[in-house]
Amino acid sequence: MKKNLIFSIVLFVLGALVALAPYTFAKVCDVGEKVMKCHWTARAELFTGLVIAFLALLRFFAKSDALFLGLDAGIFANALGVILFPSVLIGVCGMASMHCHAVTKPVLLVLGILLLVALAADVLVRLRGRKQH
């Protein structure tokens, strides 16, 4: 039970960081005359991060392994979005010197990878717990 709580908190924090990063410590470019790609990536990541945080919040109330795995599947799909939005689907500004290219994109990629690692660890712990019972 304690492991479920720890993983839920970790996933919630990572989801919140995904939502907040493009608007705070890994800020994207300001909207000027032209709306840059990083602006749309930030919007997509805001939604994706909030969904991850919400699903992690639902994990606090989950009782069955099937429900945990279902919530984890939803978080997994959104974690893939965290990685794909800045790299493949939308992108960031093309110039390597731009803050969104040098900071925002790497931060989001690391957060997405951390989400996938946390999910993998959760599934392994859950499967190991099944074998012991």
Side-chain angles (χ1 to χ4, degrees):
M1 188 60 130
K2 193 174 210 174
K3 293 174 189 168
N4 293 334
L5 180 65
I6 291 169
F7 281 116
S8 296
I9 290 170
V10 167
L11 293 169
F12 179 83
V13 168
L14 288 171
L17 286 172
V18 167
L20 295 173
Y23 296 99
T24 56
F25 62 92
K27 193 162 175 35
V28 296
C29 304
D30 291 327
V31 175
E33 289 180 24
K34 183 178 176 186
V35 178
M36 306 300 279
K37 290 194 303 184
C38 61
H39 168 75
W40 301 113
T41 293
R43 287 183 136 190
E45 296 290 9
L46 173 65
F47 177 77
T48 304
L50 291 175
V51 169
I52 291 169
F54 178 71
L55 293 174
L57 193 62
L58 290 178
R59 286 173 50 96
F60 285 109
F61 306 106
K63 300 281 188 227
S64 71
D65 278 345
L67 184 53
F68 275 107
L69 290 174
L71 292 169
D72 285 351
I75 293 171
F76 176 81
N78 282 281
L80 289 179
V82 171
I83 293 169
L84 293 175
F85 285 131
S87 59
V88 177
L89 297 176
I90 300 172
V92 294
C93 298
M95 290 179 52
S97 62
M98 298 296 286
H99 190 264
C100 61
H101 190 85
V103 177
T104 309
K105 182 178 176 180
V107 165
L108 291 172
L109 293 176
V110 167
L111 289 172
I113 291 167
L114 288 173
L115 280 161
L116 294 176
V117 168
L119 286 169
D122 181 43
V123 170
L124 289 174
V125 166
R126 197 167 299 287
L127 290 174
R128 186 176 293 155
R130 266 193 187 167
K131 289 180 183 177
Q132 291 176 355
H133 288 115

